[in-house]
Amino acid sequence: MKKILLAVIVLCLTFGVSTAFAAEYPTKAVTIIVASNAGGGTDTMARLFAKFAEKYFPQPFVINNIDGAGGQRGFDALARAKKDGYTIGTLYTPHLTAHMSAKRARYTLGDFAMLYNLVTDPGVLVVPGSSPFNSIQDVIDAEKAAPGTLTGSTSGPGSDDAFALAQFNEATGCTVKSVPSTGSSNAKATVMGGHVSMGFMNLSQVESNYRAGEVRILAIMTAKRHPNVPEIPTFGELGFKVISDSSRGFAAPAGIPEDAMKMLVETFEKVLADAEFQAAAKEQLQLNVMNPEEYKAYLEELLVVTNKAYEKDPW
């Protein structure tokens, strides 16, 4: 009887301690691993979320930029992070699944607990404001005049930019050579500095520069014209099949405590419903919200696509 009573007391004490521990979360700042350098589109998204999350989360979110290898270093760091609820991170496509398709990744989709996708960012073809190119036809004419001399900034093999460049060459008959950058801000600097003939980028990266006249957008890689830049024609309108975009979202390491996951998801829901956040995001992001279940399904489907693409043309 004494042994039974002792066991009950131990169980009660254990339950009480774990409940108290759970109720304390979070007791310190939560790190957001941003798998790109500061100043790029993914970094902008993470910092905007962190700013507005302060209204709804009892601790701050702290940005830790881990760039390199097309996001792979940051993705790996997130997958290996402690499963204690104090580290979340950014994911972006198609880099996330492209590394898996190429067998370079040390992670799988199962290593992540998906939070929310916030952005789907359409691809655009941009040139410096000083460029002689004012249309896609101008680029094609330049290719004919000097075959093999054109260059285009991308974010590296297996990226949406690289896929876009390959589509562009196939659709137009050009032979634009890829010049991989070390991040989106570096890619933009390369284009604006005139170090490449053109850039294959995403709208959010260059929209403010476009409005300032620093770059020229020749065409957008969507099925329909984009509401933010309705004056820009689609490649389809111009007679070329070039479709490309990039999604950006958040995840935690798989296996974090349920109470932490619940609070994180609730925080995202509150931020996304915040009118001030929505107004700020309209100016800075290409919002396209997916909840955790939708985001997981989207990434699983994308992995099938990138696997097939890799089989056809390895990177």
Side-chain angles (χ1 to χ4, degrees):
M1 180 62 73
K2 289 182 179 179
K3 289 183 178 180
I4 294 174
L5 287 173
L6 181 61
V8 171
I9 291 170
V10 169
L11 284 171
C12 289
L13 288 173
T14 301
F15 178 78
V17 170
S18 64
T19 302
F21 177 80
E24 289 175 358
Y25 177 84
T27 60
K28 60 181 181 180
V30 173
T31 295
I32 301 178
I33 295 176
V34 175
S36 66
N37 53 10
T42 304
D43 182 71
T44 297
M45 174 190 73
R47 292 180 189 275
L48 190 63
F49 165 77
K51 175 183 176 181
F52 282 90
E54 292 178 0
K55 297 166 61 174
Y56 306 107
F57 198 76
Q59 296 287 340
F61 285 88
V62 179
I63 306 297
N64 179 19
N65 294 92
I66 302 179
D67 65 330
Q72 187 176 346
R73 289 186 65 238
F75 305 150
D76 283 338
L78 176 60
R80 297 194 308 272
K82 288 184 179 181
K83 306 175 186 296
D84 57 5
Y86 289 100
T87 302
I88 64 173
T90 61
L91 305 177
Y92 52 86
T93 63
H95 303 62
L96 178 76
T97 58
H99 293 312
M100 296 169 61
S101 299
K103 306 297 189 294
R104 289 193 297 266
R106 291 186 289 173
Y107 57 80
T108 68
L109 289 182
D111 289 322
F112 305 105
M114 306 310 168
L115 290 166
Y116 269 81
N117 183 78
L118 267 63
V119 170
T120 300
D121 200 355
V124 290
L125 178 59
V126 301
V127 295
S130 59
S131 172
F133 303 147
N134 290 291
S135 67
I136 299 300
Q137 189 59 51
D138 287 344
V139 176
I140 295 172
D141 292 343
E143 167 74 19
K144 291 178 179 178
T149 60
L150 298 178
T151 55
S153 177
T154 71
S155 50
S159 67
D160 60 318
D161 304 333
F163 292 152
L165 185 151
Q167 291 180 65
F168 177 82
N169 281 343
E170 183 174 352
T172 62
C174 292
T175 55
V176 178
K177 296 176 183 176
S178 175
V179 178
S181 65
T182 57
S184 58
S185 56
N186 175 255
K188 182 163 62 176
T190 302
V191 172
M192 292 175 63
H195 305 296
V196 290
S197 310
M198 65 199 75
F200 292 82
M201 305 183 71
N202 295 105
L203 180 59
S204 72
Q205 296 171 265
V206 295
E207 187 173 350
S208 62
N209 305 97
Y210 163 69
R211 300 198 185 286
E214 297 169 336
V215 299
R216 193 177 300 133
I217 301 177
L218 301 187
I220 193 165
M221 304 171 191
T222 49
K224 298 179 180 180
R225 292 199 182 201
H226 196 279
N228 284 25
V229 286
E231 70 279 9
I232 302 299
T234 68
F235 272 93
E237 286 179 59
L238 302 174
F240 306 105
K241 186 177 180 181
V242 182
I243 297 288
S244 179
D245 63 32
S246 174
S247 72
R248 299 185 182 118
F250 294 84
I256 70 170
E258 289 185 12
D259 64 303
M261 188 66 180
K262 183 174 182 291
M263 185 173 287
L264 288 166
V265 169
E266 289 175 350
T267 300
F268 272 91
E269 291 172 347
K270 291 173 182 176
V271 169
L272 290 167
D274 187 298
E276 291 183 356
F277 170 81
Q278 292 174 4
K282 187 176 181 180
E283 298 297 322
Q284 301 180 56
L285 306 176
Q286 309 295 323
L287 274 183
N288 179 39
V289 175
M290 298 181 215
N291 66 32
E293 293 74 24
E294 293 168 335
Y295 193 22
K296 180 182 178 183
Y298 164 78
L299 292 174
E300 289 173 344
E301 292 173 4
L302 180 63
L303 180 58
V304 174
V305 172
T306 55
N307 280 343
K308 290 180 178 178
Y310 185 79
E311 290 175 7
K312 181 180 179 181
D313 186 17
W315 50 81

